[in-house]
Amino acid sequence: MPMPSPPQVLRAGGSVRARLTALTVLIVVVPLLVAIALTMTLLHRSLTASLQARTEQSGSEVAALLAREGVAGLQGDAEVLADRGRIVQVIDPAGAVVFASARSATRSPLSDLRPSVGQAVVTGAEALPMPGHPAPLVVAQGVESGGTRYTVFVVADQEDQHEAVTETGKALLLGLPVLLIGVAGATWLLVGRTLAPVDRIRQTAQAITGNHLEARVPVPATRDEVAQLATTMNAMLDRLQEAQRTQRRFVADASHELRSPLASLRAAIQYGAAGEADGWADLAPLMDRESARLQGLIDDLLTLSKADDAGTIPLHRVELDLDEVLEAEARRLKVAGARTVSRAITPIRVVGDEGQLVRLVRNLVDNAARAATATVALGLTRSASGDAVLTVDDDGPGIPAADRRRVFERFVRLDDARSRGSGGSGLGLAIVAEIVRAHHGSVTIEQSPLGGARFVVTLPAPPQPADPEETDAGTADPPARTPRRRHRGDSC
């Protein structure tokens, strides 16, 4: 059965603790098995090389003695028979045994090897340890003595070396389970201690519900990934709790805003139904005003809802004259007659949603008109980087620096002129912020030179085309363009 790979172990069922323990054991056991096999191989080669060297040395000594003194010299040399682990045999050219150090080797040659004079041949030296009984190590060498060519065999038994390698391998394999049990136990304890904070985080997270987001998961003292996970979860819970508070506040404020025009309409209907027939004519302006207020509030809520769902307000982009939008709002405010309007407007074309940009300018102008004492100023110019810069000023009480970011939140109103009593719903500036963000622009609040607040909106604008008069005289006539005023600045 093939051994499972680490990814298969990680994908298997069970707890993370068990899977990591199994993976650790698997990672440890494979190198250990390789190390044991390598150790046995190196030990086998070392012992075999040592035995071969001693056997070759013994063969060289016997060959030298035979060449010097002949077979008779071998009979009286006790050193030849001193090593019982080796057998020395000498055969003549006919294959007859002329000398043997052991009685068992006197009948027939110990090997079929027949090297030439001066040549030594070795057989039986295995490179790897093999199972079963090893073959003997044979060193054969050709020798000439007294005009006769002999073959000297020195045969060494390899059982001792084989047994040493085998016993070493057994000892290492028997110690392997003990080592693996220790590794598994240590890994189990270490992973358990590491994952203990995760279990506490899970228990805390399980107790958190949509109505109760106050609880926070414990952050362990360690500065590891688990601590980062706990910190991230707490930050997420903070955002969820803040979003829940914002949603509840949004629903409460929306309900309050809707209740007022609905109550007025209901009272008007009840009054008209109980009164005379011509009472409806007297109530028509009130009902129309409250209906328009209710419709505007619903439109604002739908706009913000679409921005929340899509991440931004959907746009239908066209190229339009932003200065004409400001001129139209200036004329509308002039017709109302409640405020003096001053203008300093430079013609600038932008690419954007015409309806949303009209809404942006109208919300800013209406906001300034509610806050102003007498004067509202509209401005449009091009910045050094080529962007369109729209400004709306009023001479009202202004907006404190601490509240200049907060006023763009939904249903946020400041005291004084910017209040529900003056007609604001608290959604106009929030819609302005969403429209500006959808057009990749920016909106800020500054102190106005008139003494009140200045709203500054920056929108990307395409580069201004060159005037026909600036073209070279040798070029063809440019296409006809509708002449436009370069600057408009007045008050009304």
Side-chain angles (χ1 to χ4, degrees):
M1 180 181 294
M3 184 173 295
S5 63
Q8 290 175 333
V9 174
L10 287 177
R11 289 194 297 266
S15 65
V16 175
R17 189 179 189 182
R19 283 182 288 168
L20 287 178
T21 301
L23 179 61
T24 303
V25 171
L26 180 63
I27 292 175
V28 171
V29 71
V30 173
L32 284 179
L33 290 176
V34 174
I36 290 174
L38 183 60
T39 301
M40 294 178 63
T41 300
L42 293 177
L43 179 61
H44 168 78
R45 290 185 177 183
S46 176
L47 294 177
T48 301
S50 177
L51 178 63
Q52 181 178 340
R54 294 198 307 269
T55 305
E56 289 178 348
Q57 182 180 2
S58 178
S60 298
E61 293 175 354
V62 172
L65 181 61
L66 177 62
R68 187 174 61 252
E69 299 183 10
V71 177
L74 297 177
Q75 300 289 349
D77 196 332
E79 295 183 0
V80 175
L81 307 176
D83 192 346
R84 294 185 179 182
R86 292 190 294 273
I87 298 176
V88 178
Q89 184 187 65
V90 180
I91 62 174
D92 60 14
V97 179
V98 296
F99 174 81
S101 61
R103 182 172 298 180
S104 60
T106 59
R107 298 185 183 91
S108 61
L110 297 177
S111 175
D112 295 333
L113 297 174
R114 298 295 185 270
S116 59
V117 176
Q119 182 184 9
V121 180
V122 180
T123 62
E126 299 290 344
L128 298 174
M130 305 300 294
H133 294 284
L137 181 67
V138 179
V139 176
Q141 187 169 351
V143 180
E144 183 177 355
S145 178
T148 304
R149 192 184 70 177
Y150 297 95
T151 301
V152 175
F153 296 113
V154 178
V155 181
D157 189 7
Q158 300 189 84
E159 283 291 341
D160 292 342
Q161 288 77 6
H162 179 75
E163 183 178 359
V165 173
T166 302
E167 292 300 322
T168 301
K170 288 180 179 180
L172 292 176
L173 290 176
L174 289 176
L176 182 61
V178 178
L179 177 61
L180 293 180
I181 291 174
V183 170
T187 304
W188 182 268
L189 294 176
L190 179 60
V191 174
R193 293 187 60 183
T194 303
L195 295 180
V198 177
D199 189 60
R200 291 193 294 270
I201 292 173
R202 179 190 60 80
Q203 294 175 0
T204 305
Q206 191 174 11
I208 297 174
T209 63
N211 295 325
H212 301 284
L213 296 174
E214 296 79 12
R216 294 295 180 267
V217 298
V219 179
T222 57
R223 298 180 180 178
D224 55 8
E225 290 81 358
V226 178
Q228 295 176 4
L229 172 64
T231 303
T232 302
M233 288 193 65
N234 286 335
M236 178 191 68
L237 290 172
D238 290 338
R239 293 193 298 271
L240 289 176
Q241 188 175 15
E242 179 61 28
Q244 184 187 63
R245 284 196 294 263
T246 302
Q247 182 181 16
R248 290 177 175 175
R249 186 172 62 248
F250 183 85
V251 172
D253 290 340
S255 301
H256 186 84
E257 290 294 335
L258 292 172
R259 184 184 296 115
S260 179
L262 286 175
S264 299
L265 288 174
R266 184 178 180 184
I269 292 173
Q270 291 176 350
Y271 177 78
E276 299 178 356
D278 58 354
W280 290 108
D282 297 334
L283 295 174
L286 172 64
M287 296 179 67
D288 181 70
R289 183 174 63 255
E290 294 300 322
S291 298
R293 178 182 174 189
L294 182 61
Q295 181 179 356
L297 180 60
I298 292 175
D299 290 342
D300 290 345
L301 291 174
L302 287 176
T303 299
L304 294 174
S305 177
K306 291 179 181 179
D308 291 339
D309 292 339
T312 184
I313 295 178
L315 301 179
H316 177 65
R317 295 181 182 273
V318 296
E319 190 172 351
L320 71 149
D321 296 317
L322 187 59
D323 53 293
E324 293 183 359
V325 176
L326 265 72
E327 288 287 352
E329 288 303 311
R331 288 193 296 269
R332 183 181 65 87
L333 196 59
K334 176 184 176 182
V335 170
R339 300 288 184 266
T340 300
V341 183
S342 64
R343 296 171 294 172
I345 300 175
T346 301
I348 297 178
R349 295 180 68 84
V350 297
V351 176
D353 189 301
E354 183 174 5
Q356 297 296 348
L357 290 177
V358 169
R359 193 174 195 179
L360 180 150
V361 175
R362 178 162 298 182
N363 286 357
L364 290 177
V365 170
D366 288 345
N367 180 78
R370 287 193 298 268
T373 302
T375 304
V376 173
L378 305 181
L380 180 63
T381 185
R382 190 181 292 272
S383 67
S385 60
D387 295 333
V389 180
L390 184 156
T391 58
V392 179
D393 295 78
D394 64 68
D395 60 350
I399 299 177
D403 295 323
R404 289 176 181 175
R405 293 179 61 89
R406 193 170 65 89
V407 294
F408 292 106
E409 299 176 6
R410 300 171 188 184
F411 293 111
V412 171
R413 302 182 188 83
L414 302 181
D415 295 332
D416 303 324
R418 291 172 173 86
S419 64
R420 183 182 290 108
S422 60
S425 66
L427 295 178
L429 294 181
I431 292 176
V432 167
E434 291 291 345
I435 295 174
V436 169
R437 185 168 67 91
H439 285 82
H440 307 291
S442 64
V443 56
T444 57
I445 302 176
E446 302 174 357
Q447 182 69 31
S448 172
L450 300 179
R454 162 175 283 187
F455 285 79
V456 181
V457 176
T458 302
L459 297 174
Q464 186 176 6
D467 289 340
E469 294 82 0
E470 296 176 359
T471 58
D472 295 334
T475 60
D477 293 336
R481 296 195 312 167
T482 303
R484 301 180 61 198
R485 289 178 295 168
R486 288 297 173 189
H487 182 79
R488 286 171 289 203
D490 57 9
S491 60
C492 52

